[in-house]
Amino acid sequence: MTSTSKKDFAFEQLFVLSGVLTFVNCYDVKWATRVQDVFTYAKLLALFVIIAAGGYQLCNGHTEHFTFINTKTEVTSLALSFYSGLFAYNGWNYLNFIIEELKDPVRNLPLAIAISCTLVTIVYVLTNVAFYTTLSPAEVLGSEAVAVSFANKLFGPFALSIPIFVALSTFGAVNGILLTSSRLFYAGACHGQMPEILTMIQAKRLTPTPAVLAMALLSMLYLTVSDIFALINYVGFATWLSIGVSVLCLPWLRWKAPNLERPIKVNLIWPIIYLLATIFVTAVPMIASPVETGIGLLMILTSVPVYVALIMWKNKPWWYQKIISKITVALQMIFVVVGKSKAAEL
């Protein structure tokens, strides 16, 4: 199988994967959370096996690959490298999207973020240390799946288990994004910032089906980009710019609305540090890779016509409102969805 056919096959599998997980998230929230739990445990098990193997290698004195030879030191290369690194660590911010479904969020949200960020940082750093006990920097950079290359060198006949765990990890990651990001769409729509259909939930299953389907559709659209590294740069720029603008609201509101009720309050030093980091990972890549960052900016701007046509435009003519209403009702009938207040009565 050629490299091109391998890529095509991989993307076909991702389309199928997205379809299966879309069904799970539309059918039952409990199914989605159980899938997330199981595949998170599977991912951690694989990482602990890799860390243990790396620890064994370190005990045997394999430190020859811990070197900074041929390392790029340009600021632009460093900024672009953050996209791939942050992509691997991404997920810390998704907890905020499901805050309405958390028990005692004032206590549990900060606790969950603190525990998960600490655990992920420790596990991922140790995993990278383990990789370099066996693989050279050139082998790491040239590998399509570093964990698989690591296993092929150390695990012998058991090396096949690592690709399986990598697939399970991917499955869990996609499920987590669908589960949480769809709630962002739903919450935005409930506050009047997105089309009304996204406020609807399935009448029997009580899942935000339209929001899940919208998220799945966008995910499949992004998969049409065949170059995964270019896609990471597109999405990375758009993601960190968007989150940076959101975090900017925190010091702004502290200044403009100091007496606003804040169940969860953080020291301003943290958003300031985050904003400085955001400026670095968004401004520098504009110079180093203007085409990719430009495409990322266009991805954000595609929301403007939708927002203007459906939300910002208040004095819509009657015929336009009638068309929008008919489309909303038609989608309600197709997906069997109703408003949240109506679903509570069923």
Side-chain angles (χ1 to χ4, degrees):
M1 186 180 290
T2 63
S3 59
T4 302
S5 60
K6 283 182 179 179
K7 286 183 179 179
D8 292 340
F9 178 75
F11 277 93
E12 287 173 5
Q13 297 304 307
L14 285 173
F15 273 105
V16 174
L17 169 66
S18 298
V20 171
L21 290 175
T22 300
F23 169 77
V24 170
N25 280 270
C26 288
Y27 189 76
D28 196 331
V29 174
K30 289 183 178 179
W31 279 23
T33 55
R34 285 170 184 166
V35 166
Q36 193 61 36
D37 290 343
V38 170
F39 288 98
T40 298
Y41 294 144
K43 179 195 298 186
L44 287 174
L45 176 61
L47 291 173
F48 289 148
V49 169
I50 290 171
I51 291 169
Y56 177 79
Q57 290 284 88
L58 276 178
C59 291
N60 288 330
H62 290 283
T63 59
E64 63 273 15
H65 298 311
F66 290 94
T67 175
F68 290 97
I69 296 174
N70 297 325
T71 299
K72 293 184 178 180
T73 57
E74 299 89 349
V75 174
T76 52
S77 297
L78 180 63
L80 285 172
S81 70
F82 268 99
Y83 286 153
S84 295
L86 292 171
F87 180 81
Y89 281 81
N90 201 13
W92 56 269
N93 55 320
Y94 290 130
L95 278 171
N96 302 282
F97 301 167
I98 55 172
I99 191 170
E100 289 185 354
E101 298 177 44
L102 286 177
K103 294 180 180 178
D104 191 7
V106 174
R107 173 186 177 274
N108 291 331
L109 181 64
L111 187 62
I113 291 177
I115 293 173
S116 59
C117 284
T118 303
L119 178 63
V120 168
T121 301
I122 292 173
V123 170
Y124 279 18
V125 168
L126 292 178
T127 301
N128 278 284
V129 170
F131 287 151
Y132 285 105
T133 63
T134 304
L135 303 174
S136 68
E139 288 174 315
V140 170
L141 289 173
S143 175
E144 294 183 353
V146 182
V148 175
S149 300
F150 177 84
N152 288 336
K153 283 201 168 187
L154 285 186
F155 295 162
F158 297 102
L160 182 61
S161 62
I162 296 300
I164 295 173
F165 280 112
V166 170
L168 295 178
S169 173
T170 304
F171 197 86
V174 175
N175 180 73
I177 292 172
L178 269 178
L179 174 67
T180 54
S181 296
S182 59
R183 271 60 180 177
L184 180 65
F185 282 36
Y186 173 78
C190 288
H191 285 83
Q193 300 300 312
M194 299 189 79
E196 183 185 5
I197 186 63
L198 297 179
T199 66
M200 308 288 179
I201 59 178
Q202 216 284 327
K204 293 183 178 180
R205 312 308 306 183
L206 303 181
T207 56
T209 298
V212 173
L213 292 173
M215 183 63 196
L217 181 63
L218 286 174
S219 299
M220 292 181 180
L221 182 63
Y222 292 154
L223 286 176
T224 58
V225 180
S226 58
D227 186 345
I228 186 63
F229 295 105
L231 180 59
I232 288 174
N233 286 343
Y234 300 157
V235 178
F237 176 80
T239 298
W240 298 109
L241 180 61
S242 301
I243 297 176
V245 173
S246 300
V247 172
L248 181 61
C249 295
L250 200 154
W252 173 263
L253 289 174
R254 289 282 183 90
W255 176 46
K256 300 296 290 185
N259 298 321
L260 192 68
E261 183 182 359
R262 293 177 171 86
I264 302 174
K265 189 174 182 178
V266 299
N267 193 298
L268 278 179
I269 189 63
W270 300 114
I272 290 172
I273 292 173
Y274 187 90
L275 288 170
L276 291 174
T278 299
I279 292 171
F280 176 72
V281 299
T282 54
V284 175
M286 288 182 182
I287 302 171
S289 185
V291 175
E292 292 178 351
T293 52
I295 293 174
L297 187 60
L298 286 175
M299 289 169 62
I300 298 175
L301 295 178
T302 55
S303 63
V304 173
V306 177
Y307 182 79
V308 171
L310 298 178
I311 308 299
M312 193 175 76
W313 186 14
K314 300 299 182 184
N315 299 319
K316 302 180 183 71
W318 66 269
W319 57 267
Y320 184 84
Q321 294 183 40
K322 190 173 182 179
I323 291 173
I324 298 299
S325 178
K326 283 188 175 182
I327 292 173
T328 301
V329 171
L331 291 173
Q332 279 189 266
M333 296 174 66
I334 292 171
F335 302 133
V336 195
V337 293
V338 295
K340 188 175 181 179
S341 57
K342 183 67 177 179
E345 300 173 4
L346 298 177

